[in-house]
């Protein structure tokens, strides 16, 4: 069994690979979130002994408590495989109400959805842009990670609620700890919820994970807290309460046991690595821009979507990026076009339209200014 605990937790971590599978994949699970976007082929995935048939166009969201086994139904399967930390996942739930709402929604959804052609195209564009610019330290490109996770989270949480199948008891117990870790949980309380004995709760969790009830519960809480610590707008006391700790002293004690440092030291480390999110307002604004930059997007649309005033939006973007709304939106579109001019077999004119420019002249003029070459010159590299 793969170790449930992570020794290399990074709340801003995200990795993407385009893979072709030719063999089955035996039981495994990870301690972070794994997404599978199926491009071609089909397979059966058994999640905690519950089988699902998956085909092209499906997007799977696999959580730490999902033990999976993959059996191919076609000779090959092509997928985008995306790993990201729970820290990124929590960027969509930065207060207790949103946090609990996201957990509640996920509890009742099956772990995959069928995407529309438009949704598939949008995700592919974000993935291609990320892969091409993965080594860049540009803060606007780093936010592409956040936009991708936000968009995927939105896809799952906006789906109609669908009751999960009745999985094995051990899986249900681990899921319960994931979704209700903010409560004062004990083996006795969980046992009452499932009408079993406390001894069976402890034994079942130990059998599946090799860890005790207390170890797993604490790890779930600390992992979520570690992700939220990147938000400088949230106090350590707020984070402790969001994640289920009733007093800050116990939170410090438990956090240090898992991370070998205090929450404050961990936050300082994130700041040093430039992994903190200085403003929740900036995150919300930029995330919406990235998710919608392919479409005609005006400042008034952003005002309506975020309920921030025009002045607030431009002040926030100037403070954290040194750019106005219009300038930053143009950069997002240019960065996406820069990748697509190489990766897609389309004309420069079509790609300019695809990423949101109203006409080719505007696209070409801005592209030349930003990259010091024309879109056509960049496009010829693919010929």
């Amino acid at each position: 069994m793969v170790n449930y605990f992570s020794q290399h937790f990074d709340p801003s971590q995200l990795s993407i690979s385009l893979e072709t599978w030719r063999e089955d994949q035996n039981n495994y699970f990870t301690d972070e979130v794994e997404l599978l976007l199926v491009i071609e082929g089909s397979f059966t995935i058994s999640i905690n002994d519950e089988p699902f048939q998956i085909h092209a166009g499906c997007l799977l969201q696999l959580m730490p408590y999902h033990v999976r086994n993959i059996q191919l139904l076609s000779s090959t399967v092509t997928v985008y495989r995306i790993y990201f930390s729970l820290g990124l996942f929590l960027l969509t739930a930065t207060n207790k109400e949103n946090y609990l709402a996201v957990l509640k929604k996920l509890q009742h959804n099956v772990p995959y959805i069928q995407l529309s052609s438009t949704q598939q195209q949008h995700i592919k564009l974000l993935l291609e842009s990320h892969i091409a610019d993965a080594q860049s330290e540009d803060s606007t490109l780093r936010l592409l990670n956040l936009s991708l996770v936000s968009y995927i989270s939105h896809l799952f949480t906006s789906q109609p609620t669908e009751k999960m199948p009745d999985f094995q008891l051990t899986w249900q117990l681990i899921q319960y700890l994931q979704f209700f870790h903010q409560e004062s949980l004990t083996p006795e309380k969980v046992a009452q919820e499932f009408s079993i004995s406390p001894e069976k709760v402890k034994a079942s969790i130990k059998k599946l994970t090799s860890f005790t009830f207390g170890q797993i519960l604490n790890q779930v809480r600390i992992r979520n807290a570690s992700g939220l610590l990147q938000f400088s707008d949230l106090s350590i006391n707020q984070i402790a309460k969001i994640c289920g700790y009733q007093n800050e002293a116990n939170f410090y004690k438990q956090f240090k046991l898992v991370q070998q440092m205090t929450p404050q030291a961990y936050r300082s480390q994130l700041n040093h690595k430039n992994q903190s999110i200085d403003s929740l307002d900036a995150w919300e604004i930029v995330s919406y821009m990235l998710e919608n930059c392919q479409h005609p997007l005006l400042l008034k649309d952003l005002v309506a979507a975020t309920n921030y005033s025009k002045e607030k939006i431009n002040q926030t973007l100037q403070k954290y990026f040194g750019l106005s709304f219009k300038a930053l939106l143009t950069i997002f579109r240019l960065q996406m076009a820069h990748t697509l001019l190489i990766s897609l077999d389309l004309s420069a004119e079509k790609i300019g339209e695809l990423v949101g420019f109203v006409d080719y002249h505007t696209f070409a003029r801005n592209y030349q200014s930003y990259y010091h070459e024309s879109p056509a010159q960049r496009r010829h590299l693919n010929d």
Side-chain angles (χ1 to χ4, degrees), residues 131-148:
I131 291 172
D133 296 306
Q135 303 305 314
S136 174
E137 296 297 325
D138 190 325
S139 62
T140 58
L141 294 176
R142 185 169 65 87
L143 282 169
L144 196 61
N145 292 4
L146 311 184
S147 174
L148 175 62

Side-chain angles (χ1 to χ4, degrees), residues 23 64 119 139 275 282 322 324 358 364 372 377 382:
E23 297 179 350
Q119 290 168 337
S139 62
Q275 292 179 349
S324 66
V358 293
H372 307 293
Q377 288 172 319
N382 196 33

Side-chain angles (χ1 to χ4, degrees), residues 102-322:
V102 169
L103 292 178
K104 183 177 180 181
K105 186 74 175 180
L106 287 173
Q107 180 190 5
H108 298 290
N109 274 11
V110 294
Y112 71 92
I113 54 176
Q114 178 67 44
L115 301 180
S116 68
S117 58
T118 300
Q119 290 168 337
Q120 291 180 57
Q121 182 186 59
H122 192 120
I123 291 181
K124 285 180 183 178
L125 294 181
L126 289 172
L127 294 176
E128 290 290 344
S129 296
H130 181 281
I131 291 172
D133 296 306
Q135 303 305 314
S136 174
E137 296 297 325
D138 190 325
S139 62
T140 58
L141 294 176
R142 185 169 65 87
L143 282 169
L144 196 61
N145 292 4
L146 311 184
S147 174
L148 175 62
V149 173
S150 176
Y151 182 63
I152 290 171
S153 177
H154 167 73
L155 289 178
F156 274 91
T157 57
S158 63
Q159 294 296 309
T161 298
E162 183 175 343
K163 184 172 171 45
M164 293 282 277
D166 292 328
F167 287 151
Q168 297 291 324
L169 174 64
T170 49
W171 184 88
Q172 292 184 55
L173 292 172
I174 293 297
Q175 176 183 264
Y176 191 85
L177 296 189
Q178 293 280 340
F179 292 144
F180 297 99
H181 63 267
Q182 73 283 352
E183 299 181 6
S184 299
L185 294 184
T186 64
E188 289 72 24
K189 288 183 178 180
V190 176
Q192 185 175 10
E193 182 70 26
F194 287 89
S195 300
I196 57 177
S197 69
E199 290 70 27
K200 187 166 185 179
V201 170
K202 291 184 283 188
S204 298
I205 288 175
K206 182 77 172 179
K207 180 179 179 182
L208 181 64
T209 69
S210 300
F211 295 100
T212 67
F213 177 92
Q215 286 175 318
I216 291 299
L217 177 59
N218 199 54
Q219 179 66 13
V220 169
R221 287 171 170 170
I222 296 304
R223 184 174 304 285
N224 282 264
S226 299
L228 290 176
L229 277 167
Q230 68 190 302
F231 291 100
S232 56
D233 286 6
L234 294 176
S235 71
I236 290 177
N237 183 262
Q238 284 176 303
I239 292 170
K241 290 181 178 178
I242 287 174
C243 294
Y245 293 97
Q246 300 307 307
N247 67 79
E248 197 168 327
N250 185 42
F251 174 54
Y252 268 79
K253 176 183 176 181
Q254 299 302 332
F255 192 95
K256 194 169 183 179
L257 285 174
V258 174
Q259 298 289 16
Q260 285 77 56
M261 65 180 73
T262 66
Q264 189 60 54
Y266 189 88
R267 171 169 273 175
S268 297
Q269 178 178 277
L270 294 177
N271 291 336
H272 180 71
K273 293 180 179 179
N274 195 31
Q275 292 179 349
S276 62
I277 305 299
D278 296 323
S279 169
L280 300 183
D281 295 343
W283 146 247
E284 183 179 357
I285 292 168
V286 171
S287 176
Y288 187 86
M289 290 174 64
L290 278 163
E291 291 170 25
N292 295 278
C293 66
Q294 296 168 255
H295 310 295
L297 182 62
L298 301 175
L299 185 54
K300 66 178 182 180
D301 301 322
L302 188 52
V303 169
T306 63
N307 292 320
Y308 297 127
S309 68
K310 293 181 180 180
E311 293 74 18
K312 169 70 173 178
I313 291 171
N314 275 316
Q315 287 173 2
T316 300
L317 295 180
Q318 285 288 350
K319 179 178 180 180
Y320 292 101
F321 302 100

